[in-house]
Amino acid sequence: MDDSPGTSSAVTSLDQVVALDHARFVDAAYRVVVGRPPRADEGARMLERLLAGDTKTWLLGSLRDTAEGRARGVPVSRAFRVRYGVQRSMR
């Protein structure tokens, strides 16, 4: 994987992850939130949900709410918590 700026290996925050597109978003989401690359089925499922219209905030928040995500405890901004909380309350 490339370490240049803008690639998932250089991404360290959820705000940076949100700026990525499609497969790069999925890879970075897993690396930042749970500390590992997605397994093939996980990556395919998240990409499918993204392409079906789920928001990046929803996908990141949902991943962070897994046992693995909670254990890692990636810090989130207040703005992110608000956006995710609103989306969660509407589901």
Side-chain angles (χ1 to χ4, degrees):
M1 185 174 296
D2 182 344
D3 285 329
S4 61
T7 62
S8 55
S9 63
V11 173
T12 59
S13 76
L14 295 183
D15 290 332
Q16 291 173 315
V17 173
V18 171
L20 300 173
D21 288 326
H22 302 93
R24 290 176 61 202
F25 164 80
V26 172
D27 185 67
Y30 271 85
R31 289 177 187 274
V32 170
V33 176
V34 297
R36 63 171 176 80
R39 292 186 300 267
D41 62 318
E42 294 169 330
R45 188 171 39 253
M46 183 180 274
L47 184 57
E48 180 180 300
R49 290 174 60 195
L50 179 64
L51 295 174
D54 280 354
T55 68
K56 291 176 181 179
T57 300
W58 175 255
L59 295 171
L60 286 169
S62 297
L63 183 58
R64 192 173 184 279
D65 277 349
T66 65
E68 198 174 0
R70 286 189 308 272
R72 185 158 163 99
V74 172
V76 296
S77 67
R78 182 181 188 305
F80 180 89
R81 282 193 310 272
V82 168
R83 285 191 310 268
Y84 178 64
V86 167
Q87 290 177 23
R88 190 172 183 185
S89 71
M90 299 179 84
R91 289 206 175 220

